[in-house]
Amino acid sequence: MKNKKYILSVLLLICVLFTSSCSIVVNETVRNTSELKWWQKTIAYEIYVRSFKDSDGDGIGDLNGITSELDHLKELGVGAVWLTPCYVSPQADNGYDIADYYNIDPAYGTMEDMDRLILEARKRDIRIIMDLVFNHTSDENEWFVQSRSSADNDRSDWYIWADPREDGSAPTNWRSIFGGSAWEYDENRGQYYLHTFLPQQPDLNWANPEVRKEVGNVAKFWIDKGVGGFRMDAITYIKKPAVFEDGTPDAEDGMVGIHSMTANTDGILDYLHEFKSSVQEGTDIFTVGEANGVSAEDLDKWVGTDGVFDMVFEFGLVNIDLPDESNWCETRDWTLFEFRSFFQNSLRSSDKVGGWFPVFLENHDQPRSINHFMNGEDDRTAKAGALATLLLTMRGTPFIMQGEELGYVNVDWASIDDYNDISTKNHYEFALGEGYSEEEAMEGVHHFARDSARTPMQWDDTKNAGFTEGTPWLPVYPDYKEFNCTAEKEDPDSVLNCYITLSRLRSEHTELIDGAYKDIMPKNNSIFAYTRTNGNRQATVLINFTSEKVTYDTELIKDAACIFSSSSEEHEGILSPYEAVIYENVYQ
Ligand code: NOJ
């Protein structure tokens, strides 16, 4: 099995090297900023609600905490704030298991707090983006409680139920994304239900028109509240195949990852077109789908005028080092060619149909980008500056993950018991079951644990980094004395000030928002270099991805003015380790 993965990785590398040897030009048609929609011109920011700011001392972040820190977001130039789910939930998966879509979980506040947040944000030109989790609900949702109560109630067909095999075992050998069988037996119905994620997260049956109507009602309820859009969770899993069959086992447990059996099933786009036309038409909200399993080549069906979403998060880039998402212990080396080509392929594919691209390097399920994409231990601030430059100057809407603007790195807690995330724990157990040692399993955890993106926000150097007066639900990272919002604000060379500067530059040099993208050093494996051009304005961005000094041809920046450098050493034609620079030409 390991051999098969190795061969696949080599094939992938060959394909990428082949495609990256030709310069890819995306969208040479110049568009003006005025033609773009509000969400294409803004910067988006993801808040992990549980960890952002606690206002009542219970150790859990809440809505009033967010309202109290809106000015931080304003200063970053943020216009859209994606909140991770804050609806009523038993929190088996920290809110991605929703028991009531129409109410706020008491741990996060009340509906009045939400109304106030929406209002206060709007005063600052910030719109709230809700996370809609519609592939599944919580098993405590009244829809599921009713569905499991008998085989013939009004909601009996709202979830995916199937009979056991003759020997009583699960209908198929599918492994859920969080590990273990994707089927759970229910005594009451004498049947199994499907859960792509945890057993506490039963999958909704989108084939039932009543389910589709009700999820539309949920979305409309939140639009009426005044939110600016939706992030659609795990959306590629909503349509199940017509027949449930075993897949070829892909690990020692005899199971096959459910992703390969159910993701992106034919016909899924019909459901999503229906959702779009019933919910979105006539509004100015935007939608961004979490579309694991949609490749760059397929994006043209998902976004653009005839697509189903305004933007789609696809995962080629963040999975660059994981040949198999279910196995954190097997990683692969990658090159800047590959890294770059993920951006370019996605840009090219979405741009072909007038679609738009969400640029992201982190989210609440991913490791911190400094660890993920930059080698070596040192130069944390420089690395963060390089990645910030990429995030804020690539064509598309940048999505900043909370803490990314402060230069956070992965946690490396000693024991698996120190971790909170259920998926992290399950990945660890899976690794042990596959025969990896405890040390190897922990190494995987240190690289990929979702907890790294979820530690409390570090506001200042007081107790618990100013996150809470109580005991934080997840430990604060010990580096908070140095890396915190207050200290970084005062340090002109901090990561935070780098973000603030880049955000300001975006609004002043608008080709960084609407300009055509062109790769200008396609054969270079150290520098990511591109231009952003609109009319007579051209920005040239050069980012050194290595820990060495590198040189480049100064013809690339002929007659241009340097408008940004992430390092204090300025010298044309040379980039210091991890330095990023932006030059601008304004032609007459
Ligand atoms: C994707 C979300 O981003 C993740 O945090 C969650 O665990 C799964 N979907 C299940 O909803």
Side-chain angles (χ1 to χ4, degrees), residues 227 523 586:
V227 303
K523 295 198 172 137
V586 181

Side-chain angles (χ1 to χ4, degrees), residues 283-336:
T283 73
D284 70 345
I285 66 151
F286 77 84
T287 54
V288 54
E290 188 204 25
N292 201 358
V294 173
S295 66
E297 292 68 40
D298 287 338
L299 277 181
D300 53 2
K301 297 178 214 71
W302 286 73
V303 295
T305 336
D306 299 326
V308 290
F309 296 126
D310 294 305
M311 296 181 273
V312 150
F313 292 127
E314 46 100 12
F315 285 76
L317 185 84
V318 289
N319 290 334
I320 194 167
D321 46 355
L322 267 181
D324 171 2
E325 278 177 66
S326 60
N327 185 350
W328 288 356
C329 294
E330 293 293 317
T331 54
R332 57 181 291 277
D333 293 334
W334 52 272
T335 65
L336 185 59

Side-chain angles (χ1 to χ4, degrees), residues 93 96 136 178 197 201 231 233 290 364-365 450 454:
D93 184 19
Y96 283 90
H136 46 271
F178 288 163
F197 297 90
Q201 295 169 299
R231 178 253 187 195
D233 184 71
E290 188 204 25
H364 65 284
D365 296 328
R450 306 197 302 178
R454 301 174 178 191

Side-chain angles (χ1 to χ4, degrees), residues 131-345:
D131 207 327
L132 291 182
V133 185
F134 282 159
N135 174 66
H136 46 271
T137 67
S138 158
D139 60 348
E140 293 185 21
N141 191 303
E142 66 168 44
W143 306 344
F144 186 70
V145 173
Q146 186 178 350
S147 186
R148 80 188 321 178
S149 67
S150 70
D152 61 356
N153 63 76
D154 286 350
R155 293 201 173 102
S156 54
D157 192 28
W158 275 42
Y159 293 81
I160 314 283
W161 292 99
D163 292 330
R165 297 191 221 224
E166 270 178 17
D167 65 357
S169 62
T172 66
N173 69 343
W174 302 346
R175 183 192 314 108
S176 81
I177 289 182
F178 288 163
S181 171
W183 295 98
E184 187 76 4
Y185 186 66
D186 183 76
E187 293 281 347
N188 198 36
R189 280 186 61 148
Q191 284 185 305
Y192 283 84
Y193 65 85
L194 186 71
H195 55 90
T196 300
F197 297 90
L198 295 175
Q200 297 94 319
Q201 295 169 299
D203 280 28
L204 281 165
N205 178 16
W206 275 63
N208 182 335
E210 284 175 28
V211 169
R212 303 205 297 276
K213 186 161 173 233
E214 183 55 20
V215 297
N217 289 342
V218 171
K220 286 179 205 157
F221 171 85
W222 286 101
I223 292 174
D224 290 346
K225 284 253 159 222
V227 303
F230 301 118
R231 178 253 187 195
M232 309 283 291
D233 184 71
I235 205 68
T236 38
Y237 301 110
I238 58 169
K239 179 143 198 312
K240 314 301 181 218
V243 181
F244 296 160
E245 286 171 329
D246 279 350
T248 313
D250 61 11
E252 307 299 323
D253 61 6
M255 291 193 250
V256 58
I258 192 171
H259 177 89
S260 62
M261 305 306 290
T262 64
N264 205 358
T265 299
D266 273 352
I268 188 172
L269 294 173
D270 298 338
Y271 291 162
L272 294 173
H273 275 296
E274 183 186 302
F275 180 83
K276 181 179 174 185
S277 58
S278 75
V279 165
Q280 200 179 355
E281 255 157 43
T283 73
D284 70 345
I285 66 151
F286 77 84
T287 54
V288 54
E290 188 204 25
N292 201 358
V294 173
S295 66
E297 292 68 40
D298 287 338
L299 277 181
D300 53 2
K301 297 178 214 71
W302 286 73
V303 295
T305 336
D306 299 326
V308 290
F309 296 126
D310 294 305
M311 296 181 273
V312 150
F313 292 127
E314 46 100 12
F315 285 76
L317 185 84
V318 289
N319 290 334
I320 194 167
D321 46 355
L322 267 181
D324 171 2
E325 278 177 66
S326 60
N327 185 350
W328 288 356
C329 294
E330 293 293 317
T331 54
R332 57 181 291 277
D333 293 334
W334 52 272
T335 65
L336 185 59
F337 290 133
E338 290 172 75
F339 185 81
R340 191 163 44 204
S341 71
F342 280 121
F343 280 101
Q344 292 172 175
N345 293 343

Side-chain angles (χ1 to χ4, degrees), residues 47 52-56 62-73 113 116-117 120-121 124 459 466-467:
I47 288 188
F52 192 65
K53 177 92 180 188
D54 175 22
S55 72
D56 59 8
D62 49 42
L63 299 180
N64 286 341
I66 298 172
T67 307
S68 71
E69 296 295 351
L70 283 171
D71 289 337
H72 171 67
L73 306 177
D113 297 338
R116 198 163 68 86
L117 170 59
E120 287 300 318
R124 293 163 177 84
W459 293 104
F467 163 69

